[in-house]
């Protein structure tokens, strides 16, 4: 036993000695994406280490449901890795406020990101950014090309065209026109309201208006979005009130429905569920004139642990995350998750590439309730939007009732909205 | 009333008698485990409900949280909605689960053919996981997949405000009916054969025998089943969470105290958790259950004792 310990000690000393000779810095990444372990180990990290042979990077994920708690405990104990994968909005903002994350304003490559891309990982005033944005998901519509061909339909561009296409599919009687249910509620808000809404409330102008108090959910574009959503009602499938998200996915993947209000992450799911499905995509339709705006929702980023001992190497890695090389690798390894840097990259999945191209054609924004407005426990703006959107589709709320419900509950606690009841 | 099952304690006061250590030794495990895992957390949770965040730090606020829960509109409305729904949930159990459970037990005790097979089959759902129950019923009751369409049932029962809660209650009844059935069955079996025989000799038919002989003798079990149902229903959470999610939709039509507590304490999606208000909701749940059990103890149980002794 004693002998073994001595040998271990000697071996350890030798190991650290040889490491010292090679001058290799070791970085550890904390993440909740344990699904992506293989992608990081086999694709992304080797590419980085080839370029920077002096830095060794280890991807050390924990379970998604445990990540927040595990990370908090590790940061408290000072044992967290050098690089921290950042959840969007308040969770990471709390970490920055608790001085666990460094400001990254002066990081090389940070100017590759737009204001919208950085917003999820910036302070409320937008002056300090503390994580490098990695990927976003984009909303739009997926459709079954075979059904469109059979019924002689073309991709709709305006609301009128969209409703006409739905009416034709309904008239044919063979397929569910619009594949979405209201049982799980979130699709109604996320794939419905927040999908077609940004064009109506003028994207960032409207979203920031809500935060400053200049816009309200029961006025202008935000109200119109509820009205536009209500028009979907006749085209949802039989018993859509009991249809949950997996039901919708199955219906569409099996070719029983024509149009699916989607998030880009669904692309990968459908490719896996039914590789033979002829997948097409069109962007959120417009309402007469005016530019299109898409929901380009930030989802994942990476920050620098303030307690890291290898900040130089960590910053090198973060700059690389902002590069076109990383974007190209990441986008193709995870189709449907789009790197946020304004660099050139292409995606091999044609439908995913289509989603990506919308960024060039349209303005971008993200879900109206995610920044600041959902900080209150009760009433909670995001939960209210789920409930109101689902009820509009269920026909238990008129659009005006839904808008007033959401607005009055927001105004009940959020100071800048107090006057807008 | 004048039975004396144990010797009275007149002997304990007599000097010179040795302290009975073995009583402590035998009590210790139960007392320790209950204190550490039940009583301490219970009081800790109650204490939490008397605190809230004041500025940055935690501070004692007295009954302020309870006041907020009952008076502030954004708390009172969902709370009363959850309590009212919970009451409906309980009433459906009392009206369906327990009478049907009694009926099944009465049928099984009458030695019908294949009684043991029925007994096993009816009890099976009880031992299945709630997640499986919720998943299966979600599929069966989903018009999208149309399992029940051939027999004319194609309504989205779980998706309509008017039907979601009764449907869930009936699913819960279907799952749990084995428990009252077993308890009633055990009680019915215990009834001495002589009493049954005497009633037959007196010319009573099965109906009269049941209401005049069997039912009065299993009254204590009826009370126990009622109180078990009450406590189980007002603590219920899992089935609703598994089938409807934490938002207990549509429009909180299936929200009961358990799901309301879960959302409040742990938060949901972007909704941050609020341990103080969550503990307050838990405190009220405890109170509701306590009142229910006390009512049982002081009315039903006491009257039964009067009858028995």
């Amino acid at each position: 036993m004693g002998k073994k310990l001595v040998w271990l000690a000697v071996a350890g000393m030798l190991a650290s000695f040889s490491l010292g000779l090679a001058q290799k810095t070791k970085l550890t990444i904390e993440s909740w994406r344990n699904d992506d372990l293989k992608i990081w180990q086999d694709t992304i990290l080797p590419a980085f280490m080839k370029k920077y042979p002096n830095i060794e990077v280890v991807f050390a994920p924990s379970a998604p449901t445990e990540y927040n708690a595990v990370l908090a405990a590790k940061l408290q104990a000072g044992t967290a890795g050098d690089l921290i994968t950042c959840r969007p909005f308040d969770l990471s903002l709390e970490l920055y406020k608790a001085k666990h994350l460094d400001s990254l304003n002066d990081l090389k490559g940070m100017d590759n990101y737009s204001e919208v891309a950085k917003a999820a990982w910036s302070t409320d005033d937008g002056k300090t950014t503390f994580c490098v944005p990695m990927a976003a998901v984009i909303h739009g519509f997926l459709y079954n090309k075979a059904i469109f061909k059979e019924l002689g339909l073309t991709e709709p561009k305006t609301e009128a065209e969209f409703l006409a296409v739905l009416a034709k599919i309904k008239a044919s009687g063979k397929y569910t026109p619009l594949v979405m249910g209201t049982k799980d509620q979130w699709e109604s808000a996320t794939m419905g309201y927040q999908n077609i809404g940004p064009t109506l409330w003028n994207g960032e102008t409207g979203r920031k208006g809500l935060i400053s108090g200049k816009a309200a959910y029961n006025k202008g574009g935000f109200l119109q979005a509820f009205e536009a959503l209500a028009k979907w009602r006749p085209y949802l499938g039989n018993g859509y009130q009991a249809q949950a998200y997996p039901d919708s996915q199955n219906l569409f993947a099996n070719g029983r429905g024509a149009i699916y209000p989607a998030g880009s992450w669904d692309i990968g799911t459908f490719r896996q569920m039914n590789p033979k499905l002829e997948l097409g995509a069109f962007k959120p339709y417009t309402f007469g004139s005016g530019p299109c705006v898409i929901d380009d929702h930030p989802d994942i980023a990476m920050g620098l642990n303030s307690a890291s001992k290898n900040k130089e190497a960590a910053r090198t890695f973060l700059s690389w995350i902002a590069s076109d090389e990383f974007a190209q690798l990441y986008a193709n390894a995870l189709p449907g998750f789009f790197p946020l840097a304004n660099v050139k990259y292409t995606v091999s999945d044609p439908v995913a590439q289509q989603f990506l191209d919308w960024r060039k054609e349209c303005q971008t924004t993200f879900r109206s309730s995610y920044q600041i407005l959902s900080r209150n426990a009760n009433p909670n703006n995001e939960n209210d939007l789920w409930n109101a959107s689902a009820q509009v589709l269920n026909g238990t709320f008129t659009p005006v009732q839904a808008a007033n419900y959401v607005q009055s509950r927001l105004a009940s606690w959020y100071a800048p909205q107090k006057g807008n009841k | 009333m004048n039975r004396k099952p144990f010797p009275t304690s007149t002997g304990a006061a007599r000097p010179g008698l040795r302290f009975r250590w073995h009583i402590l030794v035998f009590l210790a495990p139960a007392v320790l485990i209950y204190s550490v895992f039940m009583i301490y957390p219970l009081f800790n949770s109650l204490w939490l409900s008397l605190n809230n965040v004041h500025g940055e730090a935690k501070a004692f606020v007295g009954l302020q949280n309870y006041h907020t829960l009952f008076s502030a509109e954004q708390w009172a409305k969902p709370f009363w909605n959850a309590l009212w729904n919970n009451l409906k949930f309980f009433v459906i159990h009392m009206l369906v689960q327990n009478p049907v459970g009694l009926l099944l037990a009465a049928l099984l005790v009458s030695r019908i053919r294949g009684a043991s097979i029925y007994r096993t089959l009816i009890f099976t759902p009880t031992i299945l996981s709630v997640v499986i129950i919720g998943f299966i019923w979600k599929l069966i009751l989903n018009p999208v997949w149309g399992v029940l369409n051939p027999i004319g049932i194609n309504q989205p029962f779980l998706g309509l405000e008017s039907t979601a809660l009764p449907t869930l209650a009936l699913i819960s009844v279907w799952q749990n009916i084995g428990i009252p059935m077993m308890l009633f069955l055990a009680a019915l079996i215990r009834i001495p054969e002589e009493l049954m025989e005497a009633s037959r000799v007196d010319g009573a038919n099965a109906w009269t025998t049941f209401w005049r002989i069997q039912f009065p003798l299993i009254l204590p079990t009826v009370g126990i089943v009622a109180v078990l149902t009450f406590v189980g229903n007002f603590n219920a959470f899992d089935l609703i969470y598994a089938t409807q999610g934490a938002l207990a939709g549509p429009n909180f039509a299936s929200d009961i105290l358990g799901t309301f507590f879960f959302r409040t304490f742990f938060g949901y999606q972007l909704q941050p958790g609020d341990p103080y208000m969550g503990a307050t909701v838990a405190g009220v749940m405890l109170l509701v259950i306590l009142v229910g059990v006390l009512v049982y103890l002081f009315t039903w149980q006491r009257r039964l004792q009067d009858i028995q002794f």
Side-chain angles (χ1 to χ4, degrees):
Chain A
M1 190 70 187
K3 223 174 192 177
K4 237 185 196 165
L5 271 179
V6 171
W7 276 115
L8 268 177
V10 171
M13 270 163 68
L14 279 175
S16 56
F17 187 59
S18 63
L19 269 181
L21 274 184
Q23 296 268 309
K24 224 172 184 178
T25 321
K26 191 174 161 185
L27 297 175
T28 310
I29 302 176
E30 300 284 349
S31 173
W32 69 87
R33 297 289 311 181
N34 52 6
D35 286 351
D36 304 346
L37 180 62
K38 218 173 127 49
I39 291 160
W40 281 88
Q41 275 179 349
D42 298 351
T43 315
I44 298 174
L45 293 179
F48 173 79
M49 290 189 275
K50 206 172 152 198
K51 209 165 175 185
Y52 299 93
N54 288 339
I55 305 175
E56 192 196 347
V57 192
V58 179
F59 187 71
S62 39
T65 47
E66 289 160 18
Y67 179 71
N68 299 350
V70 168
L71 180 67
K74 277 184 175 176
L75 285 169
Q76 214 72 45
T79 56
D82 309 89
L83 296 159
I84 313 284
T85 308
C86 302
R87 299 262 195 198
F89 303 103
D90 287 358
L91 276 168
S92 295
L93 183 60
E94 293 300 319
L95 292 184
Y96 173 72
K97 280 187 183 158
K99 299 200 163 53
H100 287 308
L101 293 174
D102 272 9
S103 160
L104 296 176
N105 280 349
D106 52 349
L107 185 83
K108 198 178 130 245
M110 214 52 178
D111 42 9
N112 285 349
Y113 296 96
S114 69
E115 288 294 310
V116 183
K118 287 193 282 193
W121 298 284
S122 296
T123 46
D124 288 353
D125 59 15
K127 281 185 184 143
T128 311
T129 306
F130 39 80
C131 297
V132 184
M134 275 164 68
V137 291
I138 296 176
H139 289 287
F141 294 87
L142 292 172
Y143 69 94
N144 187 321
K145 273 188 174 166
I147 295 177
F148 266 52
K149 211 167 156 191
E150 186 193 328
L151 301 176
L153 304 168
T154 48
E155 290 179 10
K157 289 190 178 63
T158 63
E159 188 191 33
E161 286 174 24
F162 180 73
L163 295 173
V165 164
L166 288 175
K168 272 188 199 159
I169 303 166
K170 194 178 182 185
S172 87
K174 283 166 78 180
Y175 307 103
T176 304
L178 203 52
V179 188
M180 196 174 85
T182 55
K183 174 107 193 328
D184 290 345
Q185 302 186 33
W186 66 269
E187 306 103 297
S188 309
T190 310
M191 324 275 228
Y193 189 74
Q194 305 280 9
N195 186 0
I196 56 172
T199 302
L200 286 166
W201 63 66
N202 204 1
E204 284 293 277
T205 316
R207 188 186 69 77
K208 285 183 173 157
L210 279 182
I211 294 172
S212 68
K214 279 188 198 130
Y217 275 112
N218 57 358
K219 287 192 194 93
F222 289 97
L223 173 61
Q224 285 162 17
F226 277 120
E227 284 163 351
L229 187 66
K231 294 180 190 159
W232 290 16
R233 205 177 155 220
Y235 305 109
L236 299 170
N238 176 29
Y240 64 92
Q241 298 97 326
Q243 182 179 326
Y245 181 55
D247 296 324
S248 304
Q249 287 181 318
N250 271 305
L251 276 176
F252 187 71
N254 291 328
R256 285 174 55 181
I259 299 175
Y260 177 96
S264 52
W265 66 86
D266 282 318
I267 300 170
T269 316
F270 288 133
R271 294 275 186 233
Q272 217 165 31
M273 284 173 86
N274 183 2
K276 285 189 199 135
L277 186 72
E278 287 177 63
L279 215 52
F282 59 89
K283 63 189 174 212
Y285 49 82
T286 56
F287 301 78
S289 57
C292 60
V293 186
I294 55 164
D295 182 354
D296 188 2
H297 195 76
D299 195 46
I300 182 167
M302 198 173 280
L304 172 55
N305 182 355
S306 297
S308 167
K309 290 188 183 73
N310 308 308
K311 285 194 180 173
E312 199 60 36
R315 290 176 81 91
T316 309
F317 185 78
L318 288 173
S319 291
W320 183 74
I321 293 241
S323 73
D324 48 354
E325 189 185 0
F326 172 81
Q328 181 72 33
L329 285 169
Y330 192 82
N332 283 293
L334 294 160
F337 291 87
F338 302 106
L340 279 157
N342 292 325
V343 293
K344 237 187 140 118
Y345 63 92
T346 51
V347 188
S348 57
D349 186 310
V351 174
Q353 179 64 44
Q354 224 178 324
F355 272 73
L356 183 58
D357 289 340
W358 298 341
R359 271 190 189 157
K360 281 179 241 149
E361 300 159 20
C362 304
Q363 295 171 22
T364 60
T365 182
F366 53 83
R367 294 174 204 153
S368 64
S369 51
Y370 269 61
Q371 194 180 26
I372 301 173
L373 300 184
S374 289
R375 264 179 206 166
N376 192 46
N378 179 22
N380 181 270
N381 191 225
E382 174 73 354
N383 289 357
D384 289 349
L385 278 178
W386 289 21
N387 187 13
S389 307
Q391 286 209 64
V392 163
L393 290 174
N394 284 348
T396 45
F397 260 172
T398 65
V400 175
Q401 279 175 322
N404 284 335
Y405 170 81
V406 176
Q407 178 61 28
S408 65
R409 286 167 65 89
L410 177 64
S412 75
W413 67 272
Y414 186 58
Q417 286 286 359
K418 284 259 153 82
N420 297 330
K421 290 225 171 175
Chain B
M1 274 304 199
N2 47 17
R3 268 203 218 165
K4 281 176 189 166
F6 300 105
T8 43
S9 58
T10 44
R14 208 183 296 154
L17 200 84
R18 282 201 304 153
F19 184 70
R20 286 182 260 185
W21 282 102
H22 64 275
I23 295 177
L24 269 190
V25 171
F26 283 123
L27 279 179
V31 168
L32 274 179
I33 289 173
Y34 257 90
S35 306
V36 172
F37 293 107
M38 302 286 289
I39 299 171
Y40 168 73
L42 190 78
F43 281 98
N44 202 19
S45 160
L46 284 177
W47 173 245
L48 197 62
S49 77
L50 301 178
N51 286 275
N52 210 325
V53 187
H54 234 59
E56 287 285 292
K58 177 179 153 183
F60 181 77
V61 294
L63 293 173
Q64 177 80 51
N65 292 340
Y66 290 90
H67 185 249
T68 310
L69 183 66
F70 292 124
S71 62
E73 200 212 338
Q74 76 272 23
W75 287 107
K77 233 172 109 185
F79 168 72
W80 289 114
N81 172 54
L83 186 66
W84 179 235
N85 283 341
N86 218 147
L87 204 65
K88 289 191 223 165
F89 195 68
F90 170 63
V91 167
I92 292 173
H93 278 79
M94 285 302 279
L95 290 182
V96 182
Q97 177 186 279
N98 300 347
V100 176
L102 180 59
L103 177 74
L104 291 172
L107 289 175
L108 288 177
V109 85
S110 66
R111 304 215 179 90
I112 51 167
R113 260 184 154 190
S116 63
I117 295 172
Y118 285 123
R119 202 177 52 206
T120 315
L121 280 180
I122 294 168
F123 198 73
T124 310
T126 311
I127 55 171
L128 283 179
S129 153
V130 163
V131 181
I132 296 172
I133 306 270
F135 182 70
I136 291 172
W137 279 102
K138 241 161 67 170
L139 287 184
I140 295 176
L141 292 173
N142 193 340
V144 172
W145 306 115
V147 181
L148 297 179
N149 288 7
I151 54 167
I153 300 176
N154 61 350
Q155 287 296 305
F157 290 110
L158 287 171
L160 300 177
E161 282 182 44
S162 52
T163 52
L165 185 69
T167 309
L168 286 161
L170 291 177
I171 295 173
S172 168
V173 165
W174 175 82
Q175 186 194 0
N176 292 313
I177 201 157
I179 292 172
M181 183 194 75
M182 283 299 192
L183 289 171
F184 286 133
L185 190 59
L188 287 171
I189 288 171
R190 268 205 318 262
I191 296 174
E193 191 53 36
E194 301 89 76
L195 290 175
M196 306 291 290
E197 216 176 292
S199 103
R200 273 201 295 277
V201 170
D202 282 348
N205 60 15
W207 184 254
T208 315
T209 310
F210 178 78
W211 286 113
R212 294 294 176 83
I213 308 290
Q214 289 173 301
F215 189 70
L217 285 170
I218 60 164
L219 265 183
T221 310
V222 173
I224 298 260
V225 166
V227 89
L228 282 180
T229 311
F230 180 80
V231 174
N233 283 171
F234 278 85
N235 269 328
F237 160 75
D238 41 9
L239 180 73
I240 311 258
Y241 182 72
T243 35
Q244 307 293 79
L247 284 185
N251 192 23
F252 303 104
S254 54
D255 200 20
I256 58 172
L257 289 172
T259 41
F260 179 54
F261 162 76
F262 177 85
R263 276 201 316 279
T264 311
F265 192 92
F266 295 102
Y268 186 61
Q269 285 290 319
L270 299 191
Q271 174 187 342
D274 183 342
Y276 305 105
M277 286 310 288
T280 310
V281 176
V284 175
M285 285 170 78
L286 176 73
L287 190 76
V288 168
I289 291 171
L290 205 64
V291 168
V293 173
L294 286 179
V295 166
Y296 161 78
L297 280 180
F298 283 104
T299 58
W300 194 275
Q301 181 86 318
R302 184 175 274 183
R303 271 172 47 200
L304 284 181
Q305 277 176 347
D306 290 346
I307 297 166
Q308 276 175 330
F309 299 120

